[in-house]
Amino acid sequence: MTTFTTTLTAADRTVTVPTGLFLGGSFRAGSDGETFTVTDPATARPLVDVASATEADAREALDVACDVADDWAATPARDRAEILRRLFESVTAHGDDLTVLQSLEMGRALPDSRSEVAYGAEFFRWFSERAASIRGDYRHAPSGSGRIITHHRPVGPVLAITPWNFPLAMATRKIAPALAAGCPIILKPAQLTPLTMLYLADLAREAGVPDGVLQVLPTHEARRVSSLLGDPRLRKLTFTGSTAVGQALAKTAAETTVRTSLELGGNAPFIVLSHADVTAAAEAAVASKMRNGGEVCIASNRFIVHEALAPAFTRAVTERMAGYVMGPGTDPATTLGPMVSAEQRDGIADLVDTALDEGATAVLGGERVTTAEGAVDPAGFYYPATVLTGVEPDSTIANTEIFGPVLPVQTVASDEEAVRVANDTPFGLAAYVFGERFPETLDVAESVQAGMVGVNRGVISDAAAPFGGAKQSGIGREGGFEGIDEYLETVYLAL
């Protein structure tokens, strides 16, 4: 009998993880028996094969979701809240397993994976508290003709599509509000990193999530699951990923008027104003850039520094970036693991090569890893911590999301120019502003066209804060008080 589990060992820990589709409350093979391989980014060797969902599997998952939707919506909010709280406690209790699992399948350093476990778990705790506090409204019509009553109901079955760079948290910030609102959810994890979500599905079952309320469908061909957008029974799409893919999915979702929230690409500016504390700015800049090895949608991408501070800022960030130690993510000595794939590594390298051709200078790094060094296997997908200077606002690297450990510095002559350069992009996910004269710094922060702005801080993610972008960086918000609204419909009763 097939058990659909495998055992992985790393960092002195053995983790048992499911490898089947999680459909209707159990793990199973895909309907055509196909699998795909999850690769170890540190060595380029196979880790494990995972079942691949078909269109038929996706339709079956939607059938199941529709069957359980009314019962889950009718489940008392307090009961839903308690299940979510148990999930928070379970993720926290299994944090060591999840930490190792993420570093194995994604390659990143253990401290980054450990931080994501805490962050991802927090969405279950936060939305457990929101589940029992969904409010309506009662008021007199201004005309005096009657009463206006509003209440909320769950939108219905949800399709969630998540990226590879945060395999736990990008999913929990969708699953938690959906379950809190009373919606069943079908989740397609990224092909590169499905193991974390399959492990979570097992925890959800143990925490009491009813069969069919959460289903997880890994697949090697995304359109097999996104084909559900053509089914009018699906009522919500939530997607995190590239702008191009998100826009294409939204176009398809519009054909059946599916409610949509999108968290898309970014090109985050990190502005160092003329009156900034250089030491504090440099420390935050590296934290903002190097979290998760730079593979973060809100990572600083353009470092826009007043020319008077640029030399000192460059020296300070270079000193800090030089301290990163490359190696397998599961090695406790590692602070910079490999990139998630060869394609990702090569894209970063091509961007740096182009920047150098366009006149930039590499003051640190800037070359592909081609030989073994310490624990680094040259077959792995490594790229070193890199600092570039002489970057121009119209350069390729200043207008492309890097998604890697590359810190490009460009200079401006005034704070006004900094704002102008920062806003000269179709994206507006996150931004960072550093300055010591607070009124002026706040003026700049409010002038930057982004959905999230860090003021004198380089790390801004918080389950209790609304996460989302402006312009082509997305629609809607996740987390915060606003996050549950994406899964609720407002109903007006006229009396």
Side-chain angles (χ1 to χ4, degrees), residues 37-48 377 379 381:
T37 300
V38 180
T39 299
D40 179 357
T43 64
R45 291 194 288 268
L47 270 177
V48 64
D377 182 340
F381 312 135

Side-chain angles (χ1 to χ4, degrees), residues 332-464:
T334 295
T335 53
L336 175 59
M339 301 298 98
V340 73
S341 66
E343 180 182 17
Q344 181 65 19
R345 184 266 323 275
D346 292 345
I348 296 165
D350 289 345
L351 274 176
V352 172
D353 291 346
T354 300
L356 297 176
D357 290 343
E358 292 176 348
T361 299
V363 296
L364 179 71
E367 296 183 352
R368 302 170 193 241
V369 175
T370 57
T371 59
E373 182 179 341
V376 173
D377 182 340
F381 312 135
Y382 292 94
Y383 197 84
T386 296
V387 178
L388 303 177
T389 58
V391 175
E392 297 296 330
D394 61 352
S395 65
T396 302
I397 201 165
N399 291 279
T400 307
E401 190 172 25
I402 301 168
F403 239 64
V406 180
L407 195 159
V409 179
Q410 51 184 295
T411 62
V412 291
S414 67
D415 294 349
E416 292 75 18
E417 184 184 358
V419 174
R420 188 165 60 251
V421 171
N423 287 337
D424 187 18
T425 174
F427 302 103
L429 186 58
Y432 305 84
V433 180
F434 269 74
E436 288 296 286
R437 296 201 289 266
F438 191 71
E440 296 173 33
T441 304
L442 194 57
D443 284 344
V444 170
E446 292 175 346
S447 299
V448 175
Q449 297 165 357
M452 300 170 284
V453 183
V455 180
N456 290 339
R457 57 185 293 184
V459 178
I460 59 175
S461 296
D462 191 321

Side-chain angles (χ1 to χ4, degrees), residues 8 19 22 39 41 84 126 154 208 246 259 385 408 442 466:
L8 301 172
T19 57
F22 187 62
T39 299
L84 288 169
W126 174 257
R259 188 163 177 174
L442 194 57

Side-chain angles (χ1 to χ4, degrees), residues 287-307:
S288 173
K289 165 50 66 177
M290 295 299 286
R291 179 185 176 208
N292 213 22
E295 296 175 315
V296 180
C297 56
I298 60 172
S300 298
N301 205 61
R302 297 173 293 149
F303 293 82
I304 303 167
V305 185
H306 192 279
E307 60 188 11

